[in-house]
Amino acid sequence: VDYDINKYKDLISENNIPERNYAGTLNHNVASTCNSKSLSTKVFQKYVQDNNIEYDLVIMTRPDVTYHTKFDHITIDYGKINYPSHSWWSGKLYNPDPLLNKPPQMAKDFGVIVCAGSQKNMLIWASMYDNVVKYSEEGMGFLVECMCPYHMMKNNIDWCGQNLTEFEIVRRISIGMAEISQDLK
């Protein structure tokens, strides 16, 4: 898929969504992330349908993450979507101060770096991007860590923090771009 950031900038502008969310993140980047999650899931969805495959467990993760411990499937709650309980967002989305005019947030956090669950539950991500504008209009904060759990809630899927695995985010793309930039100087 050819990437065009203007598609997401236009979505934000045309729907009167502020340029930045309350955490300072550019909302077109949030929309782009939600679309990437949906597109990845749609590719997986087509694959399992075309090949008539049913997986017991599906793990979705970001490409800039390395893992240092083995994944223990025994810890998974297959009735829910599982995420790392040590998410750095933990506790940050609770009860925003109404005087700061922040949008309502989820009552429990959700970490987007890695999530795991049954195939049926994980396929829910295929339709998330299609709903981000509607969710924003309903008052949900335009933040990936809010849109993901709100999407699950709207689709009757519960989620829970688990000690899934120890991981480290490695910004290989950013590091590579910085090296190229230095070489060009």
Side-chain angles (χ1 to χ4, degrees):
V1 174
D2 290 332
Y3 185 80
D4 181 8
I5 193 66
N6 292 317
K7 168 184 173 179
Y8 307 106
K9 288 180 177 180
D10 292 346
L11 176 83
I12 297 304
S13 175
E14 291 166 5
N15 291 285
N16 298 316
I17 298 170
E19 182 181 1
R20 291 183 183 270
N21 60 35
Y22 76 91
T25 307
L26 290 165
N27 283 330
H28 65 266
N29 288 340
V30 174
S32 174
T33 300
C34 291
N35 193 36
S36 294
K37 196 171 198 78
S38 290
L39 289 174
S40 297
T41 305
K42 286 177 182 178
V43 169
F44 174 67
Q45 185 175 39
K46 182 175 179 350
Y47 177 81
V48 295
Q49 287 173 345
D50 289 353
N51 293 285
N52 195 29
I53 297 173
E54 181 77 28
Y55 290 97
D56 294 327
L57 176 65
V58 175
I59 303 169
M60 179 181 279
T61 188
R62 287 176 22 178
D64 62 344
V65 176
T66 58
Y67 294 92
H68 302 282
T69 56
K70 290 183 179 182
F71 188 87
D72 185 1
H73 67 91
I74 295 172
T75 65
I76 295 297
D77 182 339
Y78 287 89
K80 300 178 180 181
I81 291 182
N82 304 254
Y83 69 93
S85 59
H86 55 278
S87 166
W88 68 276
W89 275 100
S90 183
K92 293 190 179 194
L93 302 179
Y94 301 157
N95 306 318
D97 184 344
L99 298 177
L100 297 177
N101 196 27
K102 291 181 182 177
Q105 306 305 325
M106 300 308 298
K108 66 180 180 179
D109 65 319
F110 179 73
V112 298
I113 294 171
V114 59
C115 57
S118 69
Q119 178 174 313
K120 178 180 176 262
N121 282 352
M122 293 296 283
L123 288 176
I124 195 64
W125 302 121
S127 63
M128 186 170 69
Y129 178 70
D130 300 334
N131 291 292
V132 294
V133 170
K134 180 177 91 169
Y135 295 163
S136 177
E137 290 169 351
E138 291 174 359
M140 182 46 51
F142 213 91
L143 196 66
V144 177
E145 290 82 0
C146 294
M147 289 291 177
C148 287
Y150 193 64
H151 183 66
M152 286 185 283
M153 185 180 81
K154 297 291 275 185
N155 289 279
N156 299 313
I157 296 176
D158 199 3
W159 63 100
C160 61
Q162 297 279 10
N163 186 15
L164 293 181
T165 184
E166 181 185 338
F167 61 87
E168 173 184 321
I169 297 176
V170 180
R171 299 284 182 182
R172 290 191 181 108
I173 295 171
S174 299
I175 292 168
M177 293 305 288
E179 289 171 358
I180 291 170
S181 177
Q182 286 294 344
D183 290 345
L184 293 175
K185 290 181 182 178

